[in-house]
Amino acid sequence: MLDQIKTTIHRSQNTLLTDALGALSLVLMLVAGLHL
């Protein structure tokens, strides 16, 4: 099972990075909106 997870992460590394950046930007916008 651990090997499958490693393989999946390796195959979709670029997509995971893009999704992480998108999620981070959403969180930052939420915090900024709540701060205002």
Side-chain angles (χ1 to χ4, degrees):
M1 181 174 176
L2 193 56
D3 291 334
Q4 290 176 345
I5 294 172
K6 288 181 183 178
T7 304
T8 304
I9 290 173
H10 184 53
R11 284 183 187 169
S12 61
Q13 196 167 9
N14 293 335
T15 306
L16 288 176
L17 181 62
T18 306
D19 288 344
L21 287 175
L24 180 63
S25 66
L26 286 174
V27 169
L28 288 176
M29 286 189 287
L30 175 66
V31 169
L34 289 176
H35 182 66
L36 295 174

